[in-house]
């Protein structure tokens, strides 16, 4: 393995890694903001209110992310009404097309995670909120969303890691993310083993950081699950 190539182009790979993190962070934040109302609609007891979220989730979970990227980046330009609209300023840029595709995709997966978490909230907690006289909005803000987030947090951490790895598809629409940068340099140097090995190690490091961050968030957000009372302070005599 030619370590000189890795050392020489390592700063370029880090630039690509920063773009990867930027894509994941922006699409992840916006995706969660979309996922919460979609999950609430999906968990609603009103049948007609569940139609749109069901179709949205079914489409974006049932089709490959690569197809979704191509439909947004290449497909939108096929319509003259889109090219002449104000949206063309955004849709003509591969960066924003990738953001839109990643956002919608992760919103669909996250909404289904949150939907399951909402339905997993113990009925006793919801009944207690009703007993305190909370209306639907207050109960949702104080009980449903915080509890659902805590329940879904471990699974959502996996979703972020999957999104981090799926972000490599951004290179298919000319973006120089980590994978795109490695492919570009490899085309010049003809050293695929060195560059893709280095890129893979960077992905591993980023994934480890994300996993560690979510483990910390889980231990803080769900700390009641790890609480162990001190029996000595409770005056319990151990036999």
């Amino acid at each position: 393995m030619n370590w000189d190539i890795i050392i020489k182009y390592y700063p370029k790979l880090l630039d690509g890694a920063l773009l990867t993190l930027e894509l994941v962070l922006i699409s992840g934040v916006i995706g969660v903001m979309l996922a919460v109302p979609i999950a609430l609609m999906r968990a609603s007891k009103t049948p007609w209110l569940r139609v749109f979220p069901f179709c949205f989730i079914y489409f974006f979970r049932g089709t490959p992310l690569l197809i979704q990227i191509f439909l947004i980046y290449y497909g939108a330009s096929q319509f003259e009404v889109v090219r002449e609209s104000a949206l063309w300023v955004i849709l003509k840029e591969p960066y924003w097309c990738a953001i839109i595709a990643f956002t919608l995709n992760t919103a669909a997966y996250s909404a289904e995670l949150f939907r399951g978490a909402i339905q997993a909230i113990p009925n006793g907690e919801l009944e207690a909120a009703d007993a305190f006289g909370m209306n639907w909005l207050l109960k949702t803000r104080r009980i449903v969303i915080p509890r659902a987030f805590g329940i879904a947090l471990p699974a959502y951490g996996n979703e972020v890691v999957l999104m981090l790895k799926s972000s490599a598809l951004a290179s298919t629409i000319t973006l120089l993310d980590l994978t795109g940068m490695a492919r570009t340099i490899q085309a010049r140097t003809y050293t695929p083993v060195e560059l893709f090995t280095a890129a893979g190690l960077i992905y591993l490091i980023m994934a480890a950081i994300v996993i560690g961050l979510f483990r910390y968030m889980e231990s803080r957000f769900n700390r009641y699950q790890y609480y162990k009372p001190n029996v000595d302070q409770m005056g319990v005599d151990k036999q």
Side-chain angles (χ1 to χ4, degrees):
M1 181 175 291
N2 190 348
W3 292 99
D4 293 335
I5 293 293
I6 297 177
I7 295 173
K8 179 180 179 181
Y9 291 103
Y10 195 69
K12 292 289 187 181
L13 293 176
L14 289 181
D15 290 340
L18 289 177
L19 179 57
T20 294
L21 291 176
E22 185 178 329
L23 292 172
V24 173
L25 180 61
I26 295 176
S27 59
V29 171
I30 303 176
V32 168
M33 295 172 62
L34 292 175
V36 172
I38 293 174
L40 291 172
M41 294 170 63
R42 184 78 172 87
S44 174
K45 296 180 180 179
T46 306
W48 64 267
L49 201 58
R50 299 197 299 264
V51 174
F52 168 74
F54 173 80
C55 296
F56 176 84
I57 293 172
Y58 182 78
F59 175 80
F60 283 98
R61 292 181 68 199
T63 57
L65 177 57
L66 182 60
I67 298 297
Q68 297 164 20
I69 294 173
F70 285 169
L71 284 176
I72 294 173
Y73 182 63
Y74 295 112
S77 62
Q78 303 300 312
F79 300 96
E80 185 176 354
V81 64
V82 175
R83 294 195 302 269
E84 294 179 353
S85 68
L87 294 176
W88 184 240
V89 178
I90 297 175
L91 293 176
K92 71 178 181 179
E93 298 292 338
Y95 175 85
W96 292 113
C97 289
I99 291 288
I100 293 171
F102 294 158
T103 297
L104 296 177
N105 184 271
T106 190
Y109 280 93
S110 301
E112 193 65 9
L113 291 177
F114 292 144
R115 190 270 308 168
I118 290 172
Q119 294 179 338
I121 297 175
N123 289 330
E125 298 182 16
L126 302 178
E127 292 172 356
D130 294 333
F132 275 102
M134 294 185 181
N135 57 32
W136 179 86
L137 183 61
L138 186 61
K139 182 172 65 174
T140 300
R141 181 168 60 88
R142 290 189 174 182
I143 305 297
V144 175
I145 293 179
R147 286 292 283 120
F149 185 76
I151 295 172
L153 192 58
Y156 182 68
N158 293 334
E159 164 60 18
V160 174
V161 173
L162 290 175
M163 184 168 56
L164 174 66
K165 295 186 293 184
S166 299
S167 66
L169 295 175
S171 62
T172 60
I173 54 174
T174 72
L175 283 179
L176 293 179
D177 66 326
L178 179 54
T179 300
M181 187 66 73
R183 291 173 58 184
T184 301
I185 299 173
Q186 180 269 334
R188 301 173 183 172
T189 61
Y190 302 101
T191 53
V193 175
E194 290 82 354
L195 289 169
F196 289 120
T197 298
L201 290 175
I202 295 175
Y203 274 116
L204 282 175
I205 294 172
M206 292 192 295
I209 294 173
V210 170
I211 293 171
L213 178 61
F214 273 90
R215 290 282 175 84
Y216 174 77
M217 292 173 60
E218 184 181 353
S219 65
R220 296 292 296 175
F221 203 88
N222 296 330
R223 56 184 178 273
Y224 67 92
Q225 295 180 351
Y226 305 97
Y227 174 72
K228 294 181 180 180
N230 191 329
V231 294
D232 294 334
Q233 294 180 355
M234 296 172 61
V236 177
D237 185 21
K238 297 185 197 179
Q239 297 296 330

